[in-house]
């Protein structure tokens, strides 16, 4: 697959491609995807807030036109009712709001209805406030003040055979309908339609996990932003050995993101592994020459998330490279990555992929721990998890089947003894974002194969 840079040009191209006035725009330069990421990449230029909203709206319109009909028809659902309340967001609705709608307003209700026979799926909003041009307004409070009765009238008029609402014992992404709102909806519906209510858990998961081509045009550039910021964090621009603490680097991330108008979806982590010290040192621990640094960093941009873990070594005076044992440790983690990437297969459950990957890695004499997850509209996204750091034996959440056109955080580690540190066992954590096209897993912006080196003087 070819990826397009610079990101500004790619994003605007993806956003405006449907506009005739931009039909003659030159295509941005293309580069081939590489296994190894570019060291210390330049920071891509970011879009203005208006341009970001344009990209979000055009991608959302395409998703509503294509993904919703596909998943409803494949799951045999002819009506899907979604509900969110202001300050109590529903995870699916949050991804269906236009670029100027920051959240649900009062009570936002969306209704999708498939009339069948190849007709378009209706998209209705039963809400006091509109959602751009993406949904047709279907409630007039002055005529019918009861919002749920307005929904009941829509249901009765269309006579759906299966009405999906989001409730789930297992998936948070498919559990957006609260008990109070379910009671109100049920009270408004005739009994005939109450009996047709089914879970929308699979619809919710499939909507959230599925990535369309327009998203994959921009996703590698979003990951490039994260890689560029990590490269700055793991450099002398930010770190002065003997002075800078792990917490200082974490707050540098936060301040830098704020200045760029970017959002972290979790507080960045920075840890230190040190010869003779047990475990991961954090917080106010001062970074010293000879330390192995680790970071876990994720941003949200254009509603898509990144999740990356990298390693760096702080050179001692006179050193020009890291100890061979540390270099070998990262190489071992790359081999665990290979075992996992080779184990993806459409239709397998996350538990099956975990078992397959661990068997391959262990057969090579590696000591793996695999805890990878889908990524997209959420950092820990909808779909099947592949292991958990505290459970390497499968989990009920990992029984969901792998689907194509999904994005992934390839998150894992290998444990290795480092001879130069007296045989101390070191944790070589790594995380890189990728895309599964149904046949192969492709890294979005490469992966770390060499330790970042930070001079001490």
């Amino acid at each position: 697959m070819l990826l397009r840079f610079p990101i500004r040009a790619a994003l605007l191209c993806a956003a405006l491609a449907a506009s005739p006035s931009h039909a003659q725009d030159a295509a941005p330069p293309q580069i081939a995807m590489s296994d190894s990421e570019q060291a210390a990449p330049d920071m891509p230029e970011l879009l203005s807030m208006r341009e970001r909203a344009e990209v979000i709206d055009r991608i959302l319109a395409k998703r509503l036109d294509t993904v919703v009909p596909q998943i409803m028809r494949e799951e045999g659902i002819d009506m899907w009712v979604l509900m969110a309340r202001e300050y109590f967001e529903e995870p699916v609705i949050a991804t269906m709001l236009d670029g100027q709608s920051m959240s649900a307003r009062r009570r936002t209700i969306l209704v999708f209805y498939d009339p069948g026979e190849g007709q378009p799926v209706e998209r209705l909003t039963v809400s006091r406030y509109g959602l751009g041009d993406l949904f047709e307004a279907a409630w007039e409070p002055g005529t019918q003040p009861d919002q749920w009765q307005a929904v009941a009238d829509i249901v009765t008029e269309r006579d759906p055979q299966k009405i999906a609402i989001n409730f789930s014992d297992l998936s948070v992404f498919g559990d957006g309908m609260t008990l109070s709102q379910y009671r109100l909806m049920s009270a408004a519906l005739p009994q005939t339609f109450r009996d047709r209510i089914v879970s929308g858990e699979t619809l919710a998961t499939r909507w959230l996990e599925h990535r369309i081509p327009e998203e994959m045009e921009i996703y590698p550039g979003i990951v490039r932003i994260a890689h560029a910021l990590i490269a700055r964090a793991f450099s002398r621009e930010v770190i002065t050995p003997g002075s800078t603490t792990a917490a200082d680097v974490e707050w540098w991330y936060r301040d830098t993101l704020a200045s760029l108008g970017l959002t972290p979806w979790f507080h960045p982590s920075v840890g230190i592994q040190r010869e003779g010290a047990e475990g991961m040192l954090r917080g106010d621990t001062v970074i010293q020459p000879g330390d192995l640094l680790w970071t876990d960093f994720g941003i949200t941009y254009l509603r898509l998330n990144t999740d990356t873990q990298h390693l760096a070594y702080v050179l001692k005076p006179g050193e020009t490279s890291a100890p061979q044992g540390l270099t070998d440790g990262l190489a071992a983690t790359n081999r665990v990555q290979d075992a996992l990437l080779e184990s993806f297969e459409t239709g397998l459950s996350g538990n099956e992929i975990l078992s397959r990957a661990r068997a391959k890695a262990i057969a090579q004499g590696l000591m793996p721990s695999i805890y990878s997850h889908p990524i997209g509209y959420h950092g820990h996204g909808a779909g099947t998890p592949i292991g958990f750091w505290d459970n390497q034996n499968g989990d009920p959440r990992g029984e969901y089947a792998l689907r194509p056109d999904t994005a992934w955080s390839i998150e894992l580690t290998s444990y290795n003894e480092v001879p130069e540190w007296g045989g101390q066992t070191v944790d070589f954590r790594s995380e890189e974002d990728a895309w599964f096209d149904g046949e192969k897993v492709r890294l979005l912006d490469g992966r770390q194969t060499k330790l970042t080196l930070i001079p001490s003087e």
Side-chain angles (χ1 to χ4, degrees):
M1 177 183 180
L2 296 178
L3 305 181
R4 298 178 177 179
F5 291 95
I7 186 174
R8 183 182 180 85
L11 293 174
L12 286 174
C13 181
L16 302 173
S19 172
S21 63
H22 292 268
Q24 302 304 317
D25 284 359
Q30 297 181 331
I31 64 172
M33 185 176 291
S34 171
D35 181 60
S36 296
E37 69 188 28
Q38 180 179 327
D42 292 334
M43 178 69 181
E45 185 179 358
L46 301 177
L47 300 179
S48 70
M49 293 300 175
R50 175 177 285 186
E51 290 168 336
R52 297 182 199 190
E54 290 172 356
V55 173
I56 287 169
D57 286 351
R58 289 190 179 273
I59 287 177
L60 177 56
K62 182 65 174 294
R63 287 180 56 86
L64 291 171
D65 284 343
T66 59
V67 179
V68 169
Q70 177 184 345
I71 62 177
M72 287 183 66
R73 289 163 183 166
E74 290 180 356
E75 298 300 324
I77 302 295
D78 50 348
M79 180 171 282
W80 190 15
V81 179
L82 300 161
M83 179 285 310
R85 300 173 78 183
E86 195 167 3
Y87 305 118
F88 199 79
E89 302 301 325
E90 205 270 7
V92 175
I93 284 186
T95 68
M96 292 180 169
L97 303 176
D98 65 88
Q100 297 183 50
S101 296
M102 311 302 287
S103 64
R105 300 286 299 277
R106 298 193 185 179
R107 183 195 289 119
T108 294
I109 300 174
L110 304 181
V111 178
F112 297 93
Y113 174 65
D114 182 7
E117 298 181 355
Q119 300 179 68
V121 170
E122 280 190 282
R123 302 199 299 259
L124 309 175
T125 175
V126 189
S127 312
R128 285 189 178 272
Y129 302 95
L131 293 174
D133 297 324
L134 299 172
F135 293 84
E136 178 186 348
W139 179 40
E140 183 55 62
T143 303
Q144 171 53 268
D146 187 327
Q147 191 175 9
W148 280 116
Q149 185 57 52
V151 172
D153 292 343
I154 290 170
V155 172
T156 301
E157 179 182 345
R158 287 158 179 79
D159 193 24
Q161 300 307 298
K162 287 187 177 180
I163 307 167
I165 63 173
N166 288 354
F167 65 90
S168 170
D169 293 332
L170 197 61
S171 169
V172 64
F173 299 110
D175 201 31
M177 177 68 79
T178 64
L179 178 60
S180 65
Q181 300 307 294
Y182 172 70
R183 286 171 171 167
L184 290 170
M185 177 181 173
S186 297
L189 285 175
Q191 183 62 51
T192 299
F193 296 109
R194 291 182 218 167
D195 295 339
R196 298 179 188 180
I197 290 176
V198 298
S199 172
E201 174 186 352
T202 302
L203 288 178
T205 300
R206 293 192 61 184
W207 162 261
L208 293 170
E209 72 174 346
H210 186 88
R211 305 273 68 82
I212 64 173
E214 289 80 358
E215 289 173 307
M216 298 317 303
E217 282 285 332
I218 67 174
Y219 218 155
I222 298 172
V223 177
R224 174 64 61 88
I225 294 170
H227 281 167
L229 290 170
I230 291 172
R232 289 179 60 192
F234 275 174
S235 74
R236 286 301 300 267
E237 175 189 347
V238 176
I239 295 173
T240 301
S243 175
T244 305
T245 68
D248 289 338
V249 183
E250 293 173 349
W251 286 108
W252 176 88
Y253 278 127
R254 292 289 300 273
D255 288 338
T256 301
L257 291 178
S259 71
L260 294 170
L262 294 172
T263 305
W265 64 272
F266 62 92
H267 183 70
S269 296
V270 174
I272 302 167
Q273 292 183 87
R274 178 175 294 165
E275 181 180 0
E278 183 177 351
M280 194 78 72
L281 308 176
R282 305 195 187 213
D284 292 331
T285 302
V286 175
I287 296 168
Q288 301 289 355
D291 286 344
L292 180 69
L293 307 184
W294 158 83
T295 189
D296 190 357
F297 176 63
I299 64 170
T300 304
Y301 184 53
L302 302 173
R303 292 193 175 167
L304 294 170
N305 290 274
T306 73
D307 201 357
T308 308
Q309 295 181 43
H310 278 189
L311 298 169
Y313 176 72
V314 185
L315 294 166
K316 295 178 180 179
E319 282 186 323
T320 58
S321 62
Q324 188 62 45
L326 296 181
T327 299
D328 292 343
L330 177 56
T333 286
N334 290 151
R335 291 164 63 195
V336 177
Q337 289 173 333
D338 292 338
L340 176 56
L341 298 177
E342 294 165 0
S343 298
F344 274 62
E345 182 180 330
T346 297
L348 291 184
S349 70
N351 291 337
E352 290 171 320
I353 296 168
L354 172 67
S355 177
R356 178 186 284 191
R358 280 183 53 82
K360 290 180 181 180
I362 292 170
Q364 298 177 56
L366 302 172
M367 292 186 287
S369 180
I370 297 171
Y371 35 94
S372 297
H373 57 85
I375 194 167
Y377 286 141
H378 302 88
H380 294 155
T384 187
I386 303 174
F388 294 88
W389 68 267
D390 55 351
N391 182 5
Q392 292 288 285
N393 297 312
D395 183 277
R397 291 166 289 182
E399 287 301 312
Y400 183 78
L402 174 67
R403 294 183 184 274
D405 300 319
T406 50
W408 291 85
S409 269
I410 305 302
E411 183 178 10
L412 47 79
T413 191
S414 67
Y415 299 94
N416 293 270
E417 295 180 355
V418 177
E420 295 88 344
W421 286 13
Q424 180 176 330
T425 299
V426 175
D427 183 353
F428 292 89
R429 303 179 188 182
S430 178
E431 187 170 14
E432 300 288 3
D433 298 325
W435 173 56
F436 178 60
D437 64 6
E439 298 293 334
K440 183 178 180 180
V441 185
R442 303 168 185 270
L443 295 164
L444 295 184
D445 191 36
R447 63 174 175 176
Q448 184 180 31
T449 57
K450 295 180 181 179
L451 294 171
T452 299
L453 301 178
I454 303 174
S456 61
E457 52 187 9

